[in-house]
Amino acid sequence: MALNAPPLSLYVHMPWCVKKCPYCDFNSHGVRGEAPPYERYVELLLADLDADLVDFAQALDARPVRSVFFGGGTPSLFAPDLIARFLDGARTRLPFADGAEITLETNPGTVEHGRFDGYLGAGVNRLSFGIQSFDDDKLRRLGRIHSAAEAEAAVKSAQDAGYDNINLDLMYALPEQTLDGALADVTRAAALGPTHISHYQLTLEPNTAFAANPPPLPDDDHAWAMQEACEQALAAAGYGQYEVSAYARPDRRCVHNLNYWQFGDYLGIGAGAHGKLSDAESGTVRRRWKTRHPRAWMDAAGGPARIGGDNAVEPAELPFEYMLNALRLIDGTPMAEFEARTGLAVERIAPALTRCRQRGWLVEDPAWLRTTPLGQRFLNDVIAAFLD
């Protein structure tokens, strides 16, 4: 089968935050002492992009960027003029699709009044707020630096500035959270009228403060009850679930994250950023990740030492990698897309497909890859069935 070049996105990692949250396993670093070198970091982001464009010139093949995502850390620590400087520089280096989605992750406790106008002027057309909860006690236990009132004020301030595409991140199964508490968070989020809500279960990740000292969390049955009840509440409020943790108003699904879940390509720029690129000519899918610590990445200044790892994904690993993303989509994907994005024939995964259908995990449709409600509940087992 021929490997096709999928849509292209750009991920930009901004590694600093005010304070590391106890549940966070992302590449984020709390600000201590003097302010981080924000301006220098943006200059080196462009140097990193330049180096990747040289390395991947054949694979990129002038594909337009359909989405940009500033993640972190806390990207809203960077002033609007620095975000504008990066976007202006990126546009001179890469073609951008008309109306490209450009998202900035935002902490409600770090954005001053009036700054949203600056981000909008810089070209950011979508904001993602890390709310997590509207319960002040839960926010305190999660180590967040904002209150529920500050979160609501920040969202309204962004809307007043002209933003009409906003995501709110929420967590459930928080320490000692009840079903009523989880539903209250969803209700308050929907009342703000965002276009998108991400609803994640809190999990204990290795090498985090919560992993070392676990808080009292709801058990699996209670967490599942929260998920089901919140799904129903979000649907009633007009938010359609299209991925395990993602809910959107009609036509407001996140373009950037959809590209991940559909096994699209993306350049990863900045400290610890991950990228994936398909080279149709060579028939390979490559993954590259950058040196994790900001200082080490900056010291490399666009040179080879900025790369933490780079390898071609082995054909035997591609089915698992594809399913790890695509099976999260509620509507699933065409089976033909598996072949186009991996370069593998469907026959390669026929035994695993048969097993999953026999167990009631996948729908009985040879042209479509989609989990059943039972498969969604046991999604990790479904994905594991495609391990080589």
Side-chain angles (χ1 to χ4, degrees):
M1 301 298 299
L3 177 69
N4 294 345
L8 178 68
S9 295
L10 176 63
Y11 174 75
V12 187
H13 193 71
M14 321 297 258
W16 292 289
C17 56
V18 173
K19 185 180 74 169
K20 183 84 169 179
C21 296
Y23 59 83
C24 178
D25 69 336
F26 296 152
N27 183 31
S28 59
H29 303 262
V31 174
R32 298 186 184 91
E34 63 182 86
Y38 296 126
E39 189 166 342
R40 175 67 174 152
Y41 188 82
V42 169
E43 293 173 3
L44 295 180
L45 284 173
L46 292 171
D48 195 12
L49 179 57
D50 282 334
D52 274 8
L53 292 180
V54 171
D55 292 346
F56 296 125
Q58 174 179 293
L60 290 170
D61 193 29
R63 276 181 281 167
V65 173
R66 63 182 299 187
S67 66
V68 181
F69 196 99
F70 293 94
T74 304
S76 53
L77 290 175
F78 286 72
D81 66 296
L82 294 178
I83 300 298
R85 189 181 307 178
F86 175 82
L87 288 172
D88 290 344
R91 281 195 173 94
T92 66
R93 293 160 167 83
L94 282 166
F96 274 45
D98 291 341
E101 177 190 272
I102 301 176
T103 302
L104 182 86
E105 284 190 333
T106 307
N107 186 318
T110 64
V111 181
E112 303 161 6
H113 181 72
R115 209 167 185 181
F116 292 118
D117 300 275
Y119 290 129
L120 194 61
V124 174
N125 53 30
R126 183 175 184 269
L127 294 175
S128 181
F129 283 94
I131 304 291
Q132 313 315 352
S133 177
F134 288 96
D135 182 318
D136 284 337
D137 174 67
K138 297 295 182 284
L139 289 170
R140 178 185 58 78
R141 299 182 76 166
L142 290 173
R144 305 299 289 170
I145 64 171
H146 65 272
S147 66
E150 288 169 334
E152 291 182 335
V155 174
K156 291 174 182 176
S157 179
Q159 291 167 332
D160 290 343
Y163 275 101
D164 65 353
N165 198 3
I166 292 175
N167 170 66
L168 304 185
D169 277 347
L170 292 178
M171 287 183 172
Y172 67 96
L174 304 179
E176 297 183 300
Q177 187 177 45
T178 64
L179 176 59
D180 286 345
L183 284 169
D185 278 345
V186 166
T187 300
R188 289 185 69 174
L192 289 169
T195 50
H196 193 284
I197 294 176
S198 299
H199 191 242
Y200 302 92
Q201 181 177 347
L202 173 63
T203 55
L204 302 184
E205 302 294 345
N207 303 314
T208 63
F210 271 3
N213 295 287
L217 300 181
D219 61 28
D220 288 346
D221 288 340
H222 284 90
W224 180 251
M226 290 178 190
Q227 180 179 328
E228 287 192 311
C230 289
E231 283 177 7
Q232 294 170 11
L234 286 165
Y239 295 90
Q241 185 183 20
Y242 66 100
E243 188 268 344
V244 171
S245 304
Y247 304 77
R249 297 283 194 191
D251 301 320
R252 290 305 187 108
R253 296 179 176 186
C254 178
V255 173
H256 189 86
N257 285 343
L258 269 175
N259 196 40
Y260 288 152
W261 298 321
Q262 292 169 344
F263 213 54
D265 280 356
Y266 48 97
L267 286 167
I269 304 301
H274 284 241
K276 166 193 170 284
L277 278 175
S278 307
D279 188 334
E281 186 171 322
S282 66
T284 58
V285 175
R286 298 197 66 83
R287 290 201 178 276
R288 169 176 286 188
W289 55 98
K290 303 298 171 59
T291 298
R292 186 175 174 87
H293 197 278
R295 293 292 178 180
W297 177 85
M298 292 178 72
D299 288 344
R306 80 191 193 286
I307 300 173
D310 189 344
N311 65 272
V313 182
E314 295 294 332
E317 298 170 355
L318 280 170
F320 174 75
E321 292 222 6
Y322 182 86
M323 300 302 172
L324 192 62
N325 294 280
L327 289 181
R328 294 180 63 91
L329 293 168
I330 302 302
D331 295 337
T333 60
M335 194 65 75
E337 195 164 278
F338 168 81
E339 298 181 325
R341 299 287 165 92
T342 65
L344 302 175
V346 171
E347 288 73 23
R348 200 62 186 265
I349 57 171
L353 290 172
T354 298
R355 288 196 301 273
C356 290
R357 287 169 179 153
Q358 288 174 342
R359 293 170 181 170
W361 291 344
L362 294 177
V363 297
E364 294 281 353
D365 186 345
W368 202 262
L369 184 66
R370 185 172 76 246
T371 53
T372 62
L374 180 66
Q376 278 296 320
R377 181 162 190 182
F378 295 98
L379 187 58
N380 289 340
D381 296 308
V382 184
I383 294 169
F386 294 89
L387 280 167
D388 182 53

